[in-house]
Amino acid sequence: MHRVLMVEDSKMVQQVLRHLASQYLHIPVDFAASLRDAAGLIKNNKYTIALVDLNLPDAPNGEVAKLTLKFGIPTVVLTGSIDEFKRQQMLEMGVVDYVLKENRDSYIYAVKQLALLLKNQGKKVLVADDSATSRTMMRQMLARLLYQVIEVEDGQQAYELLINDRDIKLLMTDYAMPVMDGFELAKKIRSKRGRDELAIIGISGSGSQSLSAKFIKHGANDFLTKPFLPEEFHCRVMQTMEQISLIETIKDAANRDYLTGLYNRRYFYSYAQQYLENNNQATCLALLDIDHFKQINDTYGHQAGDDVLVELSEHLQAYFSDMLMARVGGEEFALLMPNCAMEQAFEMLDNFRFKLSSTQIDAGEHLISVTVSIGVSEYLGDSLQDLINHADIALYDAKGGGRNQVCQYGSDAEE
């Protein structure tokens, strides 16, 4: 589990950092006020990242940063003053970043940096450069940012990896490489992977001022000229990845139902269509409808109805955690069940239906008993629309048969 260490001797600043950590980090944070306290905490805990004051009463010369770095903890430094010597000293030590203590915004920036770094953990970055020295330097700097780094020495190798591994989120590519240069690589991969899922930073040791514009026109998000300062490298990478993260957040919000947080109808149908086109294994699709939902709204109010929808969504996510589900109508939900033949899907859905019928939902001042009717159909090579229509027919039969039951399309009941 991730854990953050913050070392700061000022109680007032500690209070500010505690508040900001609760807003942005949402993981355990330990505080120390001295080098001695920090050493004790490090001895007994494993930390993902640290935010440390450069000047402490018992460590006035950055000793606490040296301690955290010695234990391999990526470290962001807080400092009350900065000069060129101190800045160079910190960068040579290998700190991720430094933040000048000026006002509350400085602390917000520092904690947001920690949040961004935590998001980096496990994300894959591909470095394409024919120079082993350059690759090593970039790998070391990216590792400080908690990325998982993959290296290749030419554009063709990079292209093949990027096509086959969609988990690679950032490409750092040199311009002059054998087989396929950086321009061609950026242009070719952009036809396969858009800016919303892959960031590209072009790199070159050439002094040509036109290279940056050419790289960006060929699909790169940004450009760096060798030799670059570690500080500039860090800023460019972090800003580029923050943009990708913001795009992902916006896309995800557009694909979600505002109330329940489940996917919406549009995303469900789009994903299900792609899934059926690319997979041949047994698959079922279920439609679930809350019984007498209008009566719940009329009796207890619309807020209670919303509470029922939210809690039902939570039950669905807990029970069908590895399946795609969506709210596709007011009180109707859809569930895509991969690797499930009809018999298995029916059993799972009926168990869920029974468990839900035995549970009371907390809707503010009321405990409400809720049941669902479910229709399920099996994919037999027909279209997605046919699959949905068949599940809808089965749902209609479940409603007509008395509700609180599962009906399958194609059973004797439908014939």
Side-chain angles (χ1 to χ4, degrees), residues 10-26:
S10 166
K11 290 185 178 180
M12 183 182 71
V13 174
Q14 274 198 24
Q15 188 175 355
V16 171
L17 292 174
R18 286 181 193 277
H19 175 68
L20 293 172
S22 68
Q23 282 187 296
Y24 295 108
L25 299 183
H26 311 298

Side-chain angles (χ1 to χ4, degrees), residues 86-102:
K86 187 180 288 186
R87 173 184 165 279
Q88 192 61 37
Q89 182 186 37
M90 286 189 294
L91 294 175
E92 288 176 358
M93 286 166 56
V95 302
V96 174
D97 198 3
Y98 64 88
V99 180
L100 189 62
K101 292 181 179 180
E102 293 180 305

Side-chain angles (χ1 to χ4, degrees), residues 8 11 23 26 54 71 152 235 239 315 371 385 410:
E8 170 59 58
K11 290 185 178 180
Q23 282 187 296
H26 311 298
L54 199 63
F71 281 87
V152 294
C235 290
Q239 287 182 6
H315 283 294
T371 63
Q385 192 57 56

Side-chain angles (χ1 to χ4, degrees), residues 315-346:
H315 283 294
L316 282 167
Q317 290 177 87
Y319 196 87
F320 301 100
S321 59
D322 58 345
M323 298 181 184
L324 178 72
M325 63 202 71
R327 182 185 176 199
V328 295
E331 66 269 25
E332 188 171 82
F333 299 80
L335 183 65
L336 187 68
M337 308 178 74
N339 300 315
C340 274
M342 178 61 82
E343 184 177 351
Q344 181 185 2
F346 184 92

Side-chain angles (χ1 to χ4, degrees), residues 187 284 311 365:
K187 181 179 179 181
C284 286
E311 190 156 340
E365 299 177 356

Side-chain angles (χ1 to χ4, degrees), residues 265 268-269 284-291 312 316 324-329 331-337 349 352-353 372-378 384-399 405-409:
R265 172 192 290 267
F268 182 86
Y269 286 3
C284 286
L285 186 146
L287 294 177
L288 301 83
D289 191 273
I290 300 174
D291 296 327
L312 174 59
L316 282 167
L324 178 72
M325 63 202 71
R327 182 185 176 199
V328 295
E331 66 269 25
E332 188 171 82
F333 299 80
L335 183 65
L336 187 68
M337 308 178 74
L349 292 164
F352 174 79
R353 175 206 60 79
V372 293
S373 298
I374 304 174
V376 56
S377 60
E378 185 173 13
L384 172 63
Q385 192 57 56
D386 285 340
L387 188 64
I388 293 168
N389 290 342
H390 295 164
D392 196 46
I393 290 170
L395 174 61
Y396 181 82
D397 290 333
K399 290 283 189 182
Q405 60 183 280
V406 182
C407 285
Q408 62 189 63
Y409 179 80

